[in-house]
Amino acid sequence: MMKIALPNKGRLSEEVRELFNDAGLEVRVRGERALTASLGGEFEAIFVRAQDIPEFVADGAAHAGVTGWDLVNEAGRELDLLMDLEFGRCRLVVAAREESGITSADGVKDGMRVASCFPRLTQEFFTKRGQQVVVVPVSGAAEIAPHLGIADIVVDLTSTGSTLKMNGLREVGTVLESSARLVACKRNDSEAVHRLDELKQALGSVLAARGKRYLMANVPRRALPQVREVIPGLNGPTVVDIMNGGDYVAVHAVVPAKTIYRTINALKAVGCEGILVTRIERLMP
Ligand code: AMP
């Protein structure tokens, strides 16, 4: 059995499950508080705290795991990075009180106290810059530390910046950019490496499909050159005859989801009809 460590709760857990489900590895939990679940086939999920996943995987208790890049770096364990899963994006930033007068990381003075749930990364960041700060490790809610007089500065995760702002803090530097990653144990045997490569392809095909749409349209033959410019597709659009279609042919193509609105308008403008757009479940170029 291939064991994959997944976050049991918190921000990443939902999206991880959704991704695995979409990849055909349906998370079949046996009850609310189950510690493990079958993912179908040879994969089994073990649910642990996101923070503990780097340790679990590095120690070989799981062959691979999904957790935040911030947590992987904080753990400082040797792991193989297999892929960026592109969700759970956030940044680990240095923040100071609005009224502190500090506007960049250079403004942090020697001897200042820095509260963080990421003491290792915080220490490393300031040491590398030649700044001697006192790191105050906390296990949560670092943003309130300056208000309690526990620290002058915080190093905390942010995605929109609204929590920092709400707490009267200003972002003054970036320690690390993070997102959810699939990581693997360095001691996996070749069979496990092979299985994980298949997993990586399955997850990758779902991620690739999310940003794309499948588009079909009936196109007047004379408009084909213009249509080719509008939808280059994966390998150029597929053009097929329509039975009794007269001047019309059918065009199928994979197009970026982001620009679908513009694409449809451009197709209509050159006389396309019967335009149909659908989601793609998996895409393996
Ligand atoms: P949680 O289990 O909710 O503490 O969060 C686990 C992970 O979610 C963090 O370590 C980050 O990798 C990720 N994350 C994504 N966005 C944010 C955010 N805005 N604040 C904190 N963590 C975030």
Side-chain angles (χ1 to χ4, degrees), residues 7 9-12 50-51 67-71 88-90 118 157-160 178-180:
K9 53 182 182 187
R11 287 171 205 263
L12 301 178
Q51 296 91 305
T67 193
W69 189 232
D70 50 317
L71 297 169
R89 283 198 190 284
C90 58
F118 297 84
L157 287 176
T158 178
S159 42
T160 59
S178 181
S179 56

Side-chain angles (χ1 to χ4, degrees), residues 8 13 19 26 65 73 79 96 100 106 141 166 192 194 200 205 247 259 261-262 265:
N8 57 354
S13 63
L19 174 63
E26 198 194 334
N73 281 278
L79 290 163
S100 66
D106 292 337
M166 231 162 56
H194 177 68
K200 193 175 132 178
S205 70
D247 274 347
T259 49
Y261 182 80
R262 233 184 305 141
N265 286 336

Side-chain angles (χ1 to χ4, degrees), residues 10 12 28 50 52 57 66 86 97 103 108 116 121 132 144 188 196 200 214 263 270 279:
L12 301 178
R28 289 184 220 119
D52 297 332
V57 177
V66 174
E86 298 168 22
R97 289 180 76 158
T103 53
V108 177
S116 184
L121 289 175
Q132 263 101 52
I144 59 167
N188 283 334
L196 289 175
K200 193 175 132 178
Y214 195 70
T263 307
V270 295
R279 287 182 186 277

